[in-house]
Amino acid sequence: MFLRLAPFICLGLGLAVVHRPAPSLDNRLARTPPMGWNSWNHFGCDVSAQLIKETADAMAKSGLRDAGYQYLVIDDCWQVARDAAGRLVADSVRFPGGIGPLADYVHSRGLKFGIYTDAGRQTCQGRPGTYGSEEIDARTFAAWGVDYVKEDWCHAEGLDAPTQYARFRDALAKAGRPIVFSICEWGSNRPWEWGARTGNLWRTTGDIGDRWGTMVALLDLNAQYALAAGPGAWNDPDMLEVGNGGMTDDEYRAHFSLWALMAAPLMAGNDVRTMPAATRDILLNKEVVAVDQDSLGVQGLLVQEPAPDLQVWAKPLSDGSRAVVLFNRSTLQTVITTAWRAIGIRGPARVRDLWTHTDVGTFPTRFMATVPAHGAVMVRVTPVAGG
Ligand code: GLA
């Protein structure tokens, strides 16, 4: 049995002390990880006002909005040029009314509106970038009613990431509207060291793909920076692929469980207008969402590896309980066991299964469950008073 010592010690101490530098970004936003929807993973450049309106309607109707998915973000390709005054101009064929009225529509559905730009000279798809136009872009976004900006890092050769992102942070502050700031430089300039001073979330990895291997690789990368995360400042292992078709439902349940366990932003990336029930049941699992959104704001950690490919991940929650993911990376169904000692609690403890929504029982020292191949069991473990 392998024990990873540092997490064990942290969880043993209840993670009372989390070391991170004092943030100088103080926009009071994203006290819990941002939740919403982003166009990129499913639609790429095929974005339009029509799609955004239909998505806003679907987010309200499907229950996503009421489950906490509040930011609707248009990713790359909405912009085509700058006007004579230097303002970004939207594609007039795809966004005939412009962006401001579209933001109004999104707001009218009880959602918040997000947009994408790039800190370099051009976006990743070759559209105009924000470099040198930080102040005017921040003012334009604020005037349109933008609530969330994702800023990418393509075409930024020779530029310094902490400097450029701080420049846009300051421009946003000057523009005077509360705007969540999402830093997207793929972990290439150690953003876990400066991101909390600059943005509300920062990507720690390259782009996700709708494949098991990619998802697991991002999990392992993002896990390394757990101590940098906290209220207002989150590690971002990239958006969700749940429902996009490249993984099985067991794999998507594992993906969603682990993103929640890591207090990752939960940005759905599927076509929410046509969600099958299985996808809806994953994204709308309120007990798993509650783990992600727990007010303590601690990123969970890998705490036990009972055998190669069999893992136990744990996250302390504000009520003294622990969220635990029994994670089977192997291709065979198997039993995984966790000991209370490994997740930093004293027994006995009650166990609730967050996917079957059942109370499983009270256990003196440990818990075991059968976990599907490429799958996860997620439970909440609550010490029994006086135990
Ligand atoms: C980069 C980002 C993605 C997406 C695309 C858009 O690859 O990491 O999340 O925004 O650009 O072009």
Side-chain angles (χ1 to χ4, degrees):
M1 176 193 289
F2 298 103
L3 264 187
R4 302 230 164 148
L5 211 54
F8 172 69
I9 291 167
C10 288
L11 284 159
L13 295 173
L15 279 185
V17 185
V18 176
H19 297 286
R20 43 184 282 250
S24 60
L25 172 82
D26 188 18
N27 64 10
R28 294 166 201 270
L29 300 172
R31 307 316 295 171
T32 61
M35 292 176 65
W37 177 90
N38 174 298
S39 53
W40 184 255
N41 281 356
H42 191 87
F43 295 96
C45 270
D46 193 11
V47 286
S48 65
Q50 180 78 9
L51 169 70
I52 298 307
K53 287 181 180 172
E54 289 174 8
T55 298
D57 294 346
M59 287 175 78
K61 195 162 165 226
S62 62
L64 279 173
R65 177 195 64 197
D66 295 342
Y69 295 84
Q70 56 170 335
Y71 293 100
L72 191 169
V73 183
I74 312 181
D75 208 278
D76 207 347
C77 299
W78 63 268
Q79 65 286 71
V80 285
R82 290 187 181 274
D83 66 14
R87 285 179 303 233
L88 283 166
V89 176
D91 182 325
S92 63
V93 175
R94 289 171 173 270
F95 297 91
I99 301 295
L102 187 57
D104 293 344
Y105 185 93
V106 170
H107 289 146
S108 77
R109 291 295 177 274
L111 294 158
K112 293 188 167 155
F113 179 71
I115 207 159
Y116 163 102
T117 189
D118 186 291
R121 298 166 188 91
Q122 287 182 3
T123 73
C124 295
Q125 304 305 315
R127 310 305 175 93
T130 284
Y131 177 64
S133 302
E134 288 80 7
E135 296 222 346
I136 193 168
D137 287 358
R139 279 201 304 277
T140 305
F141 294 160
W144 285 343
V146 166
D147 307 296
Y148 181 115
V149 177
K150 168 178 171 181
E151 195 180 39
D152 215 337
W153 189 239
C154 278
H155 302 287
E157 295 73 18
L159 301 178
D160 176 59
T163 305
Q164 295 308 318
Y165 284 100
R167 209 161 268 174
F168 200 51
R169 169 199 66 193
D170 295 343
L172 288 171
K174 213 166 147 190
R177 184 179 168 88
I179 297 180
V180 171
F181 186 24
S182 161
I183 296 170
C184 177
E185 53 73 87
W186 324 302
S188 50
N189 299 273
R190 308 186 65 80
W192 41 88
E193 290 174 358
W194 49 269
R197 293 194 293 278
T198 309
N200 296 110
L201 59 156
W202 54 87
R203 285 271 298 276
T204 53
T205 71
D207 288 5
I208 196 166
D210 190 13
R211 288 175 301 278
W212 171 259
T214 314
M215 185 275 289
V216 169
L218 301 199
L219 165 77
D220 291 342
L221 283 170
N222 192 64
Q224 300 176 77
Y225 315 113
L227 296 188
W234 307 101
N235 287 312
D236 176 6
D238 207 1
M239 303 171 292
L240 297 168
E241 291 285 9
V242 174
N244 278 336
M247 293 187 238
T248 66
D249 288 334
D250 275 340
E251 292 175 335
Y252 282 137
R253 269 188 287 275
H255 173 25
F256 196 67
S257 301
L258 289 157
W259 261 232
L261 193 288
M262 292 195 294
L266 296 180
M267 301 299 284
N270 59 318
D271 186 348
V272 297
R273 302 169 305 175
T274 56
M275 268 192 294
T279 302
R280 193 176 315 119
D281 289 349
I282 295 173
L283 293 174
L284 284 171
N285 184 332
K286 292 186 183 174
E287 294 194 85
V288 174
V289 168
V291 169
D292 181 76
Q293 295 291 300
D294 184 77
S295 61
L296 201 56
V298 172
Q299 178 173 331
L301 297 163
L302 173 62
V303 294
Q304 266 185 304
E305 226 165 41
D309 282 342
L310 309 185
Q311 299 184 331
V312 179
W313 294 69
K315 175 187 200 289
L317 301 172
S318 53
D319 66 353
S321 66
R322 298 280 187 269
V324 177
V325 175
L326 307 177
F327 182 37
N328 181 3
R329 305 165 71 123
S330 83
T331 51
L332 293 173
Q333 173 177 298
T334 188
V335 171
I336 301 181
T337 303
T338 184
W340 293 165
R341 143 175 74 74
I343 61 169
I345 60 171
R346 289 165 178 270
R350 272 188 291 120
V351 175
R352 180 167 174 84
D353 188 313
L354 305 187
W355 284 108
T356 61
H357 307 293
T358 50
D359 293 320
V360 190
T362 299
F363 299 84
T365 55
R366 63 200 184 116
F367 174 70
M368 65 176 76
T370 302
V371 188
H374 280 194
V377 165
M378 187 169 193
V379 295
R380 189 164 179 141
V381 182
T382 309
V384 176

